[in-house]
Amino acid sequence: MQVAPSETVALNSYSPELRQQLFQYVLQLADTSLILGHRLSEWCGHGPILEQDLAMANIALDLLGETRSLYQYAAELEGQDRTEDDLAFLRLAVEYKNPLLVEQPNGDFGDTVARQFLFDNFHYHFLLQLKASPDERLAAIAEKAVKEAAYHLKWSSEWMIRLGDGTEESRQRLDKALGNLWRYSGELTTPTAAEKALQATGIIPDYAGLLPKMEAHLNHVFQEATLPVPQGVFMMTGGKEGRHTEHLGYILAELQYMQRTYPGMRW
Amino acid sequence: MVAKAPTEERIWQLLEEVSDPEVPVLSILDLGIVRGVKVDGEQVTVSITPTYSGCPAMNTIATDIRLRLLAEGIPNVTIHNQLSPAWTTDWMSQAGREKLEAYGIAPPVDGTATGHVLNLFGKDTAVRCPLCKSDHTHLVSQFGSTACKAHYQCDDCHEPFDYFKCHA
Ligand SMILES: [Zn+2]
């Protein structure tokens, strides 16, 4: 890597325990953007129309950029010899802490739009809050990423409306996508024990504070899309603690192939 | 040969000669990504701000800065990647905006950043066609050929063109 990461201001003021907790959490954020970015990149060359192919590739690129900043920070927090590449490419599936939603397959364009909307609605509102984190590095990463996440949310919201309030078929497909994916949406805002501990320090935002704005935006989009908001669905969790659906292993097999086959390979 | 310590002024002059690999008419100073230059004896530090998080041009730009300075006999260069404050198109120079338009890319229209995500299907930013200068244009896609551009089309000359998005 030719660009040196920013110097860290606050690292030394953290206790070893807090530093370890923060390391795990930053990894979780990095894994989330990496896996979703990878999923979106699978569309490259296969999009329904050229403009949307480009849009998904652009969003993937933004997420991968965010991921790099996060893995670089994670590597510094860990303070061992691991680099951002080691963290991204040489860990096992159970060590990945991304929520289950982002590893779900692309399916058709409706599945991808639904997955993206559920994620963006969280990501954007989350980053808006993370910008105010007392951890200067996380705040800086969020400040950068939130501008991009705003474009993503606008894109996925508008497509939710086009497809939901579109043709009979587009509506049916989106409805089916939501029927499958909704169960993974709750994990985003359900804190794990590790997240609760960090929320108590004030370094990361309390997810409960995000919910009113997320719900308001979601309700608006669903109303415009003439879709009912699913109710009473049992929410799947576990990804953030390393318990994944079968899909993650397949993603990693492809994502890690080069580094596993040619260890230490660089651009 | 005795290496002469470079001055900050000289470094800024050399940076003016490093261009954006994706929009080669713009220097990296026009683009507004150089945040600072520090010279400490023979050690030079250049701070740059990425335009977009995943912009693949950033590594190339870092390499190009090193090569340009190396060609002047300045080998000790650190490129510092500064995330905050985040880059904004407000930092793009007036000269840069004119060069962009002459190159066929509509320059950013200030104050039109998409911060208002709740404004779905809102009115597109009015962008002047860089080719025939008509204001009758429409947005084709918010996501263009690179992360920093949107895709527009002119309703008068019908040419498609890139618009360098306002980012603030
Ligand atoms: Zn025109």
Side-chain angles (χ1 to χ4, degrees), chain B residues 129 131-134 154 156-159:
Chain B
C129 170
L131 305 157
C132 75
K133 316 296 179 202
S134 164
C154 178
D156 281 333
C157 74
H158 301 293
E159 284 292 328

Coordinates of all heavy atoms in Angstrom, one line a residue, chain B residues 129 131-134 154 156-159, ligand 1:
Chain B
C129 N -24.9 22.0 -20.6 CA -24.2 21.1 -21.6 C -22.8 21.7 -21.9 O -22.7 22.9 -22.3 CB -25.0 20.9 -22.8 SG -24.1 20.1 -24.1
L131 N -20.9 21.1 -24.2 CA -20.6 21.1 -25.7 C -21.4 22.2 -26.4 O -20.7 23.1 -27.0 CB -21.0 19.7 -26.3 CG -20.4 18.6 -25.6 CD1 -21.1 17.3 -25.8 CD2 -18.9 18.4 -26.0
C132 N -22.7 22.3 -26.2 CA -23.4 23.4 -26.9 C -23.9 24.5 -25.9 O -24.5 25.4 -26.3 CB -24.6 22.8 -27.7 SG -26.0 22.4 -26.6
K133 N -23.6 24.3 -24.6 CA -23.9 25.3 -23.6 C -25.4 25.4 -23.3 O -25.9 26.4 -22.7 CB -23.3 26.7 -23.9 CG -21.9 26.7 -24.4 CD -20.9 26.1 -23.3 CE -19.5 26.1 -23.9 NZ -18.6 25.2 -23.2
S134 N -26.2 24.5 -23.8 CA -27.7 24.6 -23.5 C -27.9 24.2 -22.1 O -27.2 23.4 -21.5 CB -28.4 23.6 -24.4 OG -29.7 23.4 -23.9
C154 N -27.8 15.9 -23.1 CA -28.3 17.2 -23.5 C -29.6 17.0 -24.4 O -29.6 16.2 -25.3 CB -27.2 17.9 -24.3 SG -27.8 19.5 -25.0
D156 N -30.8 19.4 -26.3 CA -30.7 20.2 -27.6 C -29.8 19.5 -28.5 O -30.2 19.1 -29.6 CB -30.3 21.6 -27.2 CG -31.5 22.4 -26.8 OD1 -32.6 22.1 -27.1 OD2 -31.3 23.4 -26.0
C157 N -28.5 19.3 -28.1 CA -27.6 18.7 -29.1 C -27.6 17.1 -29.0 O -26.9 16.4 -29.7 CB -26.1 19.2 -29.0 SG -25.3 18.7 -27.5
H158 N -28.3 16.6 -28.0 CA -28.5 15.2 -27.7 C -27.2 14.4 -27.3 O -27.3 13.2 -27.2 CB -29.2 14.5 -28.9 CG -30.5 15.1 -29.2 ND1 -31.6 15.0 -28.4 CD2 -30.9 15.9 -30.3 CE1 -32.6 15.6 -28.9 NE2 -32.2 16.2 -30.0
E159 N -26.1 15.1 -27.1 CA -24.9 14.4 -26.7 C -25.0 14.0 -25.3 O -25.4 14.8 -24.4 CB -23.7 15.3 -26.9 CG -23.2 15.5 -28.3 CD -22.7 14.3 -28.9 OE1 -22.0 13.5 -28.2 OE2 -22.8 14.1 -30.2
Ligands
ZN1 ZN -25.7 20.2 -25.8

